[in-house]
Amino acid sequence: MQIHPSILSADFAHLADEIGRIENSDAIHVDVMDNHFVPNLTMGLPVVKAIRAATHKPLDIHLMIEDADRWAPDYADLGAESVTFHVEASGAPIRLARELRARGSKASMALKPATPIEPYMDMLTELDMLLLMTVEPGFGGQSFLDVVLPKIRRARQAIEDSGVPIALQVDGGVAPDTIERAAEAGADVFVAGSAVYSADDPSKAIDDLRALARNAQR
Ligand code: DX5
Ligand code: ZN
């Protein structure tokens, strides 16, 4: 059960300090948005390189950008432990997943809430992690979409059937009142932005979320 705080909800003028407030997290979730794949713009390679230099914690890069095949390998090259591309933005997801692994990163693929998992069942073993979005990507602070829960259950079953230990991440609206049902459905990696950074004590918020997820795990 891993908690990956999203720095999308942090103070962008003090990113290094903000990362220092979440030392007990399992990784730092970095949301890269290009104002084309999603209607919001955050950061690109130069800022992520600066984050890489500022922390030893694992970086979990979530690319919400068009033409992922062109850009995702650069994020593996800068030393990110995991790079997630959206299947809706990749022309060749199997080739891209192999490229990320060849460059030393974990390969992860994301699906928007309305994108079905079934067409991708046979390629799960190409991945180290599957991200099922539980909000429409683009902004922090949205409400968790319960409509995604059955897809989380089907993905968990498919991962177990594959015999390969693929992580199952959920991102969007993860908070104390939603994390238990995501964990019960089979998620084991949880992104939380506003639930961590809007808390008075982000570090305690992480421990509390992790405890709730552990207790709810099937
Ligand atoms: C949304 C991003 C999320 C976002 C989550 O498109 O991918 O990582 O930061 O924020 P919360 O936890 O506030 O929903
Ligand atoms: Zn994200």
Side-chain angles (χ1 to χ4, degrees):
M1 289 295 178
Q2 293 192 19
I3 307 296
H4 294 193
S6 165
I7 55 169
L8 184 61
S9 298
D11 178 352
F12 272 25
H14 302 96
L15 277 180
D17 295 340
E18 292 284 76
I19 289 167
R21 298 169 76 201
I22 53 170
E23 267 301 323
N24 59 331
S25 64
D26 297 284
I28 315 279
H29 184 85
V30 181
D31 289 304
V32 174
M33 305 184 187
D34 67 353
N35 198 34
H36 291 274
F37 183 72
V38 289
N40 195 7
L41 184 67
T42 55
M43 65 186 84
L45 278 166
V47 174
V48 179
K49 279 182 186 161
I51 293 169
R52 173 70 297 171
T55 180
H56 294 291
K57 293 211 71 84
L59 295 185
D60 162 27
I61 310 293
H62 178 193
L63 298 175
M64 284 158 278
I65 59 173
E66 287 185 353
D67 201 3
D69 308 69
R70 160 70 182 84
W71 294 104
D74 287 349
Y75 289 86
D77 286 346
L78 68 78
E81 278 71 8
S82 175
V83 177
T84 300
F85 60 89
H86 267 267
V87 70
E88 303 90 352
S90 171
I94 295 173
R95 185 172 66 204
L96 180 55
R98 292 183 179 187
E99 182 75 21
L100 292 171
R101 284 176 160 178
R103 293 180 186 229
S105 157
K106 290 181 177 170
S108 170
M109 189 171 82
L111 274 60
K112 290 167 46 165
T115 301
I117 180 74
E118 280 69 23
Y120 309 105
M121 291 295 201
D122 291 338
M123 66 162 289
L124 291 180
T125 53
E126 301 286 339
L127 304 172
D128 299 292
M129 185 166 78
L130 179 70
L131 165 54
L132 298 182
M133 290 303 300
T134 42
V135 297
E136 293 291 354
F139 299 93
Q142 302 181 76
S143 297
F144 183 89
L145 292 172
D146 280 284
V147 71
V148 180
L149 286 169
K151 183 163 64 171
I152 298 171
R153 288 194 194 94
R154 294 197 300 278
R156 168 52 60 196
Q157 187 60 53
I159 287 168
E160 275 168 24
D161 292 347
S162 80
V164 176
I166 302 154
L168 183 53
Q169 185 178 62
V170 287
D171 179 9
V174 173
D177 62 335
T178 57
I179 194 168
E180 290 167 293
R181 40 194 201 273
E184 187 281 331
D188 54 11
V189 182
F190 304 87
V191 177
S194 47
V196 168
Y197 275 105
S198 68
D200 292 335
D201 183 349
S203 173
K204 181 176 181 300
I206 291 166
D207 288 341
D208 290 349
L209 285 169
R210 199 186 278 112
L212 285 168
R214 280 190 182 139
N215 289 336
Q217 192 176 25
R218 290 190 297 181

PDB file of all heavy atoms in Angstrom, residues 6 8-9 29 31 33 62 64 133 135-142 171-174 191-195, ligand 1:
ATOM      1  N   SER A   6       0.616  14.097  -4.702  1.00  0.00           N
ATOM      2  CA  SER A   6       0.764  14.874  -5.931  1.00  0.00           C
ATOM      3  C   SER A   6       1.162  16.305  -5.584  1.00  0.00           C
ATOM      4  O   SER A   6       0.439  16.988  -4.852  1.00  0.00           O
ATOM      5  CB  SER A   6      -0.551  14.887  -6.708  1.00  0.00           C
ATOM      6  OG  SER A   6      -0.499  15.913  -7.687  1.00  0.00           O
ATOM      7  N   LEU A   8       0.953  18.678  -7.438  1.00  0.00           N
ATOM      8  CA  LEU A   8       0.074  19.636  -8.120  1.00  0.00           C
ATOM      9  C   LEU A   8      -0.608  20.559  -7.105  1.00  0.00           C
ATOM     10  O   LEU A   8      -0.905  21.706  -7.411  1.00  0.00           O
ATOM     11  CB  LEU A   8      -0.986  18.877  -8.931  1.00  0.00           C
ATOM     12  CG  LEU A   8      -1.937  19.689  -9.799  1.00  0.00           C
ATOM     13  CD1 LEU A   8      -1.181  20.479 -10.862  1.00  0.00           C
ATOM     14  CD2 LEU A   8      -2.964  18.779 -10.469  1.00  0.00           C
ATOM     15  N   SER A   9      -0.851  20.042  -5.909  1.00  0.00           N
ATOM     16  CA  SER A   9      -1.516  20.845  -4.866  1.00  0.00           C
ATOM     17  C   SER A   9      -0.521  21.549  -3.951  1.00  0.00           C
ATOM     18  O   SER A   9      -0.929  22.150  -2.964  1.00  0.00           O
ATOM     19  CB  SER A   9      -2.428  19.943  -4.024  1.00  0.00           C
ATOM     20  OG  SER A   9      -3.445  19.376  -4.830  1.00  0.00           O
ATOM     21  N   HIS A  29       4.501  12.181  -6.751  1.00  0.00           N
ATOM     22  CA  HIS A  29       3.722  12.133  -7.995  1.00  0.00           C
ATOM     23  C   HIS A  29       3.793  13.505  -8.659  1.00  0.00           C
ATOM     24  O   HIS A  29       3.415  14.521  -8.062  1.00  0.00           O
ATOM     25  CB  HIS A  29       2.278  11.762  -7.662  1.00  0.00           C
ATOM     26  CG  HIS A  29       1.386  11.582  -8.847  1.00  0.00           C
ATOM     27  ND1 HIS A  29       1.292  10.397  -9.556  1.00  0.00           N
ATOM     28  CD2 HIS A  29       0.523  12.446  -9.441  1.00  0.00           C
ATOM     29  CE1 HIS A  29       0.409  10.538 -10.535  1.00  0.00           C
ATOM     30  NE2 HIS A  29      -0.074  11.774 -10.501  1.00  0.00           N
ATOM     31  N   ASP A  31       2.669  15.773 -11.855  1.00  0.00           N
ATOM     32  CA  ASP A  31       1.675  15.878 -12.929  1.00  0.00           C
ATOM     33  C   ASP A  31       2.154  16.836 -14.017  1.00  0.00           C
ATOM     34  O   ASP A  31       2.231  18.047 -13.805  1.00  0.00           O
ATOM     35  CB  ASP A  31       0.346  16.377 -12.356  1.00  0.00           C
ATOM     36  CG  ASP A  31      -0.331  15.322 -11.499  1.00  0.00           C
ATOM     37  OD1 ASP A  31      -0.564  14.217 -12.013  1.00  0.00           O
ATOM     38  OD2 ASP A  31      -0.615  15.608 -10.322  1.00  0.00           O
ATOM     39  N   MET A  33       1.329  18.487 -17.518  1.00  0.00           N
ATOM     40  CA  MET A  33       0.156  18.768 -18.373  1.00  0.00           C
ATOM     41  C   MET A  33       0.544  19.778 -19.441  1.00  0.00           C
ATOM     42  O   MET A  33       1.271  20.735 -19.159  1.00  0.00           O
ATOM     43  CB  MET A  33      -0.979  19.350 -17.534  1.00  0.00           C
ATOM     44  CG  MET A  33      -1.381  18.495 -16.346  1.00  0.00           C
ATOM     45  SD  MET A  33      -2.816  19.220 -15.505  1.00  0.00           S
ATOM     46  CE  MET A  33      -2.927  18.157 -14.066  1.00  0.00           C
ATOM     47  N   HIS A  62       3.536  11.517 -14.045  1.00  0.00           N
ATOM     48  CA  HIS A  62       2.243  11.278 -14.712  1.00  0.00           C
ATOM     49  C   HIS A  62       2.126  12.259 -15.869  1.00  0.00           C
ATOM     50  O   HIS A  62       1.880  13.455 -15.666  1.00  0.00           O
ATOM     51  CB  HIS A  62       1.110  11.465 -13.697  1.00  0.00           C
ATOM     52  CG  HIS A  62      -0.258  11.290 -14.269  1.00  0.00           C
ATOM     53  ND1 HIS A  62      -1.395  11.662 -13.603  1.00  0.00           N
ATOM     54  CD2 HIS A  62      -0.690  10.760 -15.455  1.00  0.00           C
ATOM     55  CE1 HIS A  62      -2.459  11.390 -14.358  1.00  0.00           C
ATOM     56  NE2 HIS A  62      -2.056  10.851 -15.484  1.00  0.00           N
ATOM     57  N   MET A  64       0.315  13.920 -18.730  1.00  0.00           N
ATOM     58  CA  MET A  64      -0.980  14.201 -19.363  1.00  0.00           C
ATOM     59  C   MET A  64      -0.682  15.114 -20.550  1.00  0.00           C
ATOM     60  O   MET A  64      -0.942  16.324 -20.521  1.00  0.00           O
ATOM     61  CB  MET A  64      -1.921  14.863 -18.345  1.00  0.00           C
ATOM     62  CG  MET A  64      -2.482  13.860 -17.336  1.00  0.00           C
ATOM     63  SD  MET A  64      -3.039  14.630 -15.797  1.00  0.00           S
ATOM     64  CE  MET A  64      -1.469  14.770 -14.953  1.00  0.00           C
ATOM     65  N   MET A 133      -7.544   6.403 -13.756  1.00  0.00           N
ATOM     66  CA  MET A 133      -7.940   7.738 -13.280  1.00  0.00           C
ATOM     67  C   MET A 133      -9.324   7.667 -12.640  1.00  0.00           C
ATOM     68  O   MET A 133     -10.257   7.110 -13.226  1.00  0.00           O
ATOM     69  CB  MET A 133      -7.966   8.734 -14.436  1.00  0.00           C
ATOM     70  CG  MET A 133      -6.607   9.097 -15.010  1.00  0.00           C
ATOM     71  SD  MET A 133      -5.435   9.789 -13.814  1.00  0.00           S
ATOM     72  CE  MET A 133      -6.321  11.261 -13.262  1.00  0.00           C
ATOM     73  N   VAL A 135     -10.759  10.593 -11.597  1.00  0.00           N
ATOM     74  CA  VAL A 135     -11.388  11.868 -12.002  1.00  0.00           C
ATOM     75  C   VAL A 135     -10.990  12.067 -13.459  1.00  0.00           C
ATOM     76  O   VAL A 135     -10.069  11.419 -13.957  1.00  0.00           O
ATOM     77  CB  VAL A 135     -10.887  13.098 -11.183  1.00  0.00           C
ATOM     78  CG1 VAL A 135     -11.242  12.968  -9.717  1.00  0.00           C
ATOM     79  CG2 VAL A 135      -9.388  13.333 -11.378  1.00  0.00           C
ATOM     80  N   GLU A 136     -11.668  12.974 -14.155  1.00  0.00           N
ATOM     81  CA  GLU A 136     -11.190  13.375 -15.481  1.00  0.00           C
ATOM     82  C   GLU A 136      -9.887  14.147 -15.267  1.00  0.00           C
ATOM     83  O   GLU A 136      -9.847  15.093 -14.471  1.00  0.00           O
ATOM     84  CB  GLU A 136     -12.216  14.258 -16.198  1.00  0.00           C
ATOM     85  CG  GLU A 136     -13.511  13.553 -16.575  1.00  0.00           C
ATOM     86  CD  GLU A 136     -13.362  12.499 -17.674  1.00  0.00           C
ATOM     87  OE1 GLU A 136     -12.265  12.370 -18.258  1.00  0.00           O
ATOM     88  OE2 GLU A 136     -14.363  11.788 -17.936  1.00  0.00           O
ATOM     89  N   PRO A 137      -8.801  13.744 -15.930  1.00  0.00           N
ATOM     90  CA  PRO A 137      -7.519  14.372 -15.640  1.00  0.00           C
ATOM     91  C   PRO A 137      -7.507  15.857 -15.990  1.00  0.00           C
ATOM     92  O   PRO A 137      -8.211  16.304 -16.902  1.00  0.00           O
ATOM     93  CB  PRO A 137      -6.525  13.588 -16.509  1.00  0.00           C
ATOM     94  CG  PRO A 137      -7.348  12.942 -17.566  1.00  0.00           C
ATOM     95  CD  PRO A 137      -8.704  12.707 -16.958  1.00  0.00           C
ATOM     96  N   GLY A 138      -6.704  16.612 -15.251  1.00  0.00           N
ATOM     97  CA  GLY A 138      -6.524  18.026 -15.550  1.00  0.00           C
ATOM     98  C   GLY A 138      -6.413  18.931 -14.334  1.00  0.00           C
ATOM     99  O   GLY A 138      -5.702  19.919 -14.375  1.00  0.00           O
ATOM    100  N   PHE A 139      -7.103  18.547 -13.259  1.00  0.00           N
ATOM    101  CA  PHE A 139      -7.135  19.436 -12.100  1.00  0.00           C
ATOM    102  C   PHE A 139      -7.171  18.631 -10.807  1.00  0.00           C
ATOM    103  O   PHE A 139      -7.769  17.554 -10.755  1.00  0.00           O
ATOM    104  CB  PHE A 139      -8.374  20.342 -12.159  1.00  0.00           C
ATOM    105  CG  PHE A 139      -8.396  21.212 -13.379  1.00  0.00           C
ATOM    106  CD1 PHE A 139      -9.057  20.787 -14.535  1.00  0.00           C
ATOM    107  CD2 PHE A 139      -7.721  22.423 -13.409  1.00  0.00           C
ATOM    108  CE1 PHE A 139      -9.057  21.575 -15.681  1.00  0.00           C
ATOM    109  CE2 PHE A 139      -7.712  23.209 -14.558  1.00  0.00           C
ATOM    110  CZ  PHE A 139      -8.378  22.789 -15.694  1.00  0.00           C
ATOM    111  N   GLY A 140      -6.566  19.204  -9.770  1.00  0.00           N
ATOM    112  CA  GLY A 140      -6.698  18.637  -8.434  1.00  0.00           C
ATOM    113  C   GLY A 140      -8.021  19.058  -7.827  1.00  0.00           C
ATOM    114  O   GLY A 140      -8.732  19.916  -8.365  1.00  0.00           O
ATOM    115  N   GLY A 141      -8.353  18.435  -6.717  1.00  0.00           N
ATOM    116  CA  GLY A 141      -9.512  18.861  -5.946  1.00  0.00           C
ATOM    117  C   GLY A 141     -10.863  18.427  -6.474  1.00  0.00           C
ATOM    118  O   GLY A 141     -11.891  18.940  -6.025  1.00  0.00           O
ATOM    119  N   GLN A 142     -10.903  17.480  -7.425  1.00  0.00           N
ATOM    120  CA  GLN A 142     -12.197  17.006  -7.940  1.00  0.00           C
ATOM    121  C   GLN A 142     -12.695  15.820  -7.099  1.00  0.00           C
ATOM    122  O   GLN A 142     -11.953  15.219  -6.342  1.00  0.00           O
ATOM    123  CB  GLN A 142     -12.044  16.560  -9.400  1.00  0.00           C
ATOM    124  CG  GLN A 142     -11.535  17.627 -10.353  1.00  0.00           C
ATOM    125  CD  GLN A 142     -11.447  17.084 -11.776  1.00  0.00           C
ATOM    126  OE1 GLN A 142     -12.460  16.941 -12.459  1.00  0.00           O
ATOM    127  NE2 GLN A 142     -10.234  16.778 -12.224  1.00  0.00           N
ATOM    128  N   ASP A 171      -5.842   7.655  -9.093  1.00  0.00           N
ATOM    129  CA  ASP A 171      -5.449   9.060  -9.026  1.00  0.00           C
ATOM    130  C   ASP A 171      -6.685   9.925  -9.261  1.00  0.00           C
ATOM    131  O   ASP A 171      -7.326   9.829 -10.318  1.00  0.00           O
ATOM    132  CB  ASP A 171      -4.383   9.315 -10.107  1.00  0.00           C
ATOM    133  CG  ASP A 171      -3.901  10.758 -10.153  1.00  0.00           C
ATOM    134  OD1 ASP A 171      -4.254  11.538  -9.248  1.00  0.00           O
ATOM    135  OD2 ASP A 171      -3.156  11.091 -11.097  1.00  0.00           O
ATOM    136  N   GLY A 172      -6.993  10.749  -8.255  1.00  0.00           N
ATOM    137  CA  GLY A 172      -8.101  11.689  -8.386  1.00  0.00           C
ATOM    138  C   GLY A 172      -9.135  11.499  -7.293  1.00  0.00           C
ATOM    139  O   GLY A 172      -9.739  10.426  -7.198  1.00  0.00           O
ATOM    140  N   GLY A 173      -9.277  12.503  -6.446  1.00  0.00           N
ATOM    141  CA  GLY A 173     -10.289  12.440  -5.398  1.00  0.00           C
ATOM    142  C   GLY A 173     -10.008  11.434  -4.301  1.00  0.00           C
ATOM    143  O   GLY A 173     -10.918  11.075  -3.545  1.00  0.00           O
ATOM    144  N   VAL A 174      -8.751  10.985  -4.200  1.00  0.00           N
ATOM    145  CA  VAL A 174      -8.400  10.030  -3.136  1.00  0.00           C
ATOM    146  C   VAL A 174      -8.252  10.809  -1.826  1.00  0.00           C
ATOM    147  O   VAL A 174      -7.472  11.759  -1.738  1.00  0.00           O
ATOM    148  CB  VAL A 174      -7.099   9.271  -3.477  1.00  0.00           C
ATOM    149  CG1 VAL A 174      -6.663   8.411  -2.296  1.00  0.00           C
ATOM    150  CG2 VAL A 174      -7.301   8.418  -4.728  1.00  0.00           C
ATOM    151  N   VAL A 191      -2.598   8.000  -5.322  1.00  0.00           N
ATOM    152  CA  VAL A 191      -2.154   9.379  -5.485  1.00  0.00           C
ATOM    153  C   VAL A 191      -3.113  10.263  -4.693  1.00  0.00           C
ATOM    154  O   VAL A 191      -4.329  10.076  -4.775  1.00  0.00           O
ATOM    155  CB  VAL A 191      -2.169   9.789  -6.968  1.00  0.00           C
ATOM    156  CG1 VAL A 191      -1.778  11.263  -7.122  1.00  0.00           C
ATOM    157  CG2 VAL A 191      -1.237   8.892  -7.770  1.00  0.00           C
ATOM    158  N   ALA A 192      -2.555  11.200  -3.949  1.00  0.00           N
ATOM    159  CA  ALA A 192      -3.423  12.147  -3.224  1.00  0.00           C
ATOM    160  C   ALA A 192      -2.779  13.519  -3.257  1.00  0.00           C
ATOM    161  O   ALA A 192      -1.639  13.684  -2.810  1.00  0.00           O
ATOM    162  CB  ALA A 192      -3.636  11.683  -1.788  1.00  0.00           C
ATOM    163  N   GLY A 193      -3.475  14.480  -3.814  1.00  0.00           N
ATOM    164  CA  GLY A 193      -2.971  15.844  -3.898  1.00  0.00           C
ATOM    165  C   GLY A 193      -3.549  16.709  -2.809  1.00  0.00           C
ATOM    166  O   GLY A 193      -2.904  16.989  -1.799  1.00  0.00           O
ATOM    167  N   SER A 194      -4.802  17.121  -3.003  1.00  0.00           N
ATOM    168  CA  SER A 194      -5.393  18.046  -2.036  1.00  0.00           C
ATOM    169  C   SER A 194      -5.532  17.408  -0.655  1.00  0.00           C
ATOM    170  O   SER A 194      -5.379  18.098   0.356  1.00  0.00           O
ATOM    171  CB  SER A 194      -6.749  18.552  -2.550  1.00  0.00           C
ATOM    172  OG  SER A 194      -7.539  17.495  -3.026  1.00  0.00           O
ATOM    173  N   ALA A 195      -5.782  16.100  -0.583  1.00  0.00           N
ATOM    174  CA  ALA A 195      -5.955  15.466   0.733  1.00  0.00           C
ATOM    175  C   ALA A 195      -4.668  15.536   1.558  1.00  0.00           C
ATOM    176  O   ALA A 195      -4.725  15.548   2.790  1.00  0.00           O
ATOM    177  CB  ALA A 195      -6.394  14.011   0.570  1.00  0.00           C
TER     178      ALA A 195
HETATM  179  C1  DX5 B   1      -5.338  15.227 -11.904  1.00  0.00           C
HETATM  180  C2  DX5 B   1      -3.958  14.770 -11.473  1.00  0.00           C
HETATM  181  C3  DX5 B   1      -3.922  14.327 -10.079  1.00  0.00           C
HETATM  182  C4  DX5 B   1      -4.276  15.389  -9.075  1.00  0.00           C
HETATM  183  C5  DX5 B   1      -4.956  14.728  -7.950  1.00  0.00           C
HETATM  184  O1  DX5 B   1      -5.442  15.259 -13.273  1.00  0.00           O
HETATM  185  O2  DX5 B   1      -3.494  13.708 -12.293  1.00  0.00           O
HETATM  186  O3  DX5 B   1      -2.665  13.737  -9.760  1.00  0.00           O
HETATM  187  O4  DX5 B   1      -3.179  16.109  -8.583  1.00  0.00           O
HETATM  188  O5  DX5 B   1      -5.425  15.700  -7.072  1.00  0.00           O
HETATM  189  P1  DX5 B   1      -6.514  15.340  -5.969  1.00  0.00           P
HETATM  190  O6  DX5 B   1      -5.908  14.289  -5.069  1.00  0.00           O
HETATM  191  O7  DX5 B   1      -6.737  16.637  -5.282  1.00  0.00           O
HETATM  192  O8  DX5 B   1      -7.727  14.824  -6.694  1.00  0.00           O
END
